[in-house]
Amino acid sequence: MDRADTLEAFKTLIDTCEYDVILADYRLPGFNAMDAWAVVQGEGKVTPFILLSGTIGEAAAVDAVQRGISDYLHKDNLQSLDRVIRRALEMQSIKAAKEKADRELAVSERRITEFAHHLQLAIEKERAAIAREIHDDIGGSLAAVRLDLAWLSRHSQDQGLQNHIATATEMIQHAIEASQRIMLNMRPAILDQGLLASVQWLVQGFEERTNSRVQLTTSSDAMRLDAPILLTAYRTVQESLTNIVKHADGSAVRIEISNQGDVLTVEISDTGPGLADTALQKEKSFGLRGLQERAKTVNGWLDISSSVGVGTSITLTVPLNTSDTERQESAP
């Protein structure tokens, strides 16, 4: 146990020793407890700090506790000092355990986000690789088979054989169209033309499938985006339109894209039935949750606003002036 009668002596003790608890008289000739508390805070100490006084009023005591002091005890009640000290130590122990748990949770969340980023990059690279294989291998082989069938058709007069050739040609054409559709879903080449062209292509396909009209507005006709941000925005629009087809077909759809103020904002809204409060908490509700995780990988965030019977609005926001090195990685 050490005693300090001056502020300088208190500073010296705090700098050189670690204490389980600090008992501070509210008012001493040279300094007061709040001066001592300021020193403790300045040093970054987490030692329980108990205020003792016989003159401090209730308002001043409450103010001191609100500033972070562990507890207050009136000098007329010193028989309770043991209990107050034990309580302060227990609370400090609980606080330290919570801070440790919070730090571990933050580390865990950061690792999960990093893993999600890595997983998204791996998925996009695999999508691009599969799309290339479909185009180069499967597409080329199907085209070659179609040419061979056309040659056979020109060099055969047998009607039965011609019927089989026509059927095979039709099936080959169907396979070619299916492979092209799969390839485009994997990684459409139009992504190389930028976000606006890619979204316009998605909108065109959506309107053809649903016979609905989409109102698309943008703040600029030219947006130069890093590949990870471009893919995140594109997949957000793609997944949103897919959800509209599933759950809000026939509703009015509006897409707004803006890159003003060094911030990319993509909002997709519909006038469908909306989402219940528990919709995002379903065990298999991976679509929108996946979009939220994808947004984090580019230092952005995804807001989902929905009202039952009114509609749903999904907004992606991504700062464009960040220097995060991960953003510079080239996605496929």
Side-chain angles (χ1 to χ4, degrees):
M1 181 180 293
D2 293 318
R3 173 176 173 174
D5 293 323
T6 65
L7 189 59
E8 289 302 321
F10 180 76
K11 290 180 179 179
T12 300
L13 291 174
I14 288 296
D15 289 337
T16 57
C17 301
E18 292 290 337
Y19 294 96
D20 295 318
V21 66
I22 297 174
L23 302 177
D25 197 323
Y26 183 71
R27 193 176 303 281
L28 292 173
F31 70 111
N32 61 38
M34 301 314 295
D35 296 329
W37 174 239
V39 171
V40 172
Q41 286 187 306
E43 295 290 334
K45 302 289 185 178
V46 294
T47 310
F49 193 103
I50 299 174
L51 179 62
L52 300 175
S53 178
T55 59
I56 186 174
E58 185 71 22
V62 171
D63 178 68
V65 173
Q66 289 177 341
R67 293 189 186 186
I69 287 178
S70 304
D71 211 337
Y72 159 75
L73 184 65
H74 198 279
K75 289 184 177 180
D76 292 340
N77 194 27
L78 286 180
Q79 67 272 15
S80 301
L81 181 59
D82 175 72
R83 176 180 56 80
V84 171
I85 291 177
R86 291 180 182 277
R87 183 174 62 190
L89 291 173
E90 290 175 359
M91 293 301 297
Q92 182 60 35
S93 177
I94 294 172
K95 181 180 178 181
K98 181 180 181 301
E99 290 176 349
K100 180 182 177 182
D102 289 342
R103 289 193 299 270
E104 292 175 348
L105 179 60
V107 170
S108 178
E109 289 179 344
R110 186 178 70 250
R111 289 176 177 172
I112 291 174
T113 300
E114 291 172 352
F115 176 73
H117 186 194
H118 171 76
L119 184 61
Q120 290 294 347
L121 288 177
I123 290 173
E124 293 297 343
K125 289 179 180 179
E126 188 65 20
R127 283 173 177 264
I130 293 174
R132 285 192 296 268
E133 289 186 12
I134 292 175
H135 179 271
D136 297 340
D137 297 338
I138 299 178
S141 298
L142 290 174
V145 171
R146 184 173 60 179
L147 290 175
D148 286 341
L149 288 172
W151 185 91
L152 289 173
S153 178
R154 291 194 305 269
H155 291 80
S156 174
Q157 302 300 321
D158 184 275
Q159 187 58 43
L161 183 59
Q162 287 290 340
N163 292 337
H164 283 293
I165 291 174
T167 301
T169 301
E170 184 179 350
M171 294 177 63
I172 289 294
Q173 183 60 35
H174 175 75
I176 290 174
E177 293 174 356
S179 65
Q180 290 175 342
R181 185 174 63 253
I182 295 171
M183 181 181 64
L184 290 174
N185 286 333
M186 285 289 183
R187 205 281 183 182
I190 199 169
L191 278 171
D192 297 331
Q193 300 181 29
L195 177 61
L196 296 182
S198 302
V199 171
Q200 288 170 348
W201 178 76
L202 285 174
V203 167
Q204 180 182 355
F206 175 85
E207 290 179 337
E208 291 175 352
R209 293 192 307 273
T210 63
N211 293 321
S212 301
R213 298 294 298 174
V214 177
Q215 180 184 353
L216 174 61
T217 58
T218 176
S219 64
S220 173
D221 292 333
M223 294 185 184
R224 299 188 61 182
L225 303 173
D226 292 338
I229 299 177
L230 171 61
L231 272 171
T232 297
Y234 173 82
R235 296 300 184 195
T236 299
V237 176
Q238 185 183 45
E239 179 68 22
S240 298
L241 292 178
T242 299
N243 285 338
I244 291 173
V245 171
K246 291 179 179 178
H247 308 294
D249 191 13
S251 67
V253 181
R254 178 173 52 87
I255 300 176
E256 294 185 13
I257 303 175
S258 170
N259 64 340
Q260 296 179 343
D262 290 329
V263 175
L264 173 67
T265 304
V266 180
E267 181 179 357
I268 308 98
S269 59
D270 64 71
T271 57
L275 297 173
D277 294 338
T278 58
L280 295 178
Q281 306 303 322
K282 294 180 180 179
E283 292 184 1
K284 297 184 179 181
S285 179
F286 296 121
L288 294 179
R289 276 187 282 178
L291 291 180
Q292 290 175 325
E293 292 302 320
R294 183 187 283 271
K296 292 179 183 178
T297 65
V298 291
N299 296 328
W301 56 94
L302 190 81
D303 292 322
I304 303 173
S305 175
S306 184
S307 298
V308 176
V310 177
T312 302
S313 177
I314 297 175
T315 305
L316 171 70
T317 306
V318 183
L320 299 177
N321 57 354
T322 180
S323 60
D324 188 356
T325 55
E326 288 187 353
R327 174 170 296 179
Q328 303 305 320
E329 296 183 25
S330 294

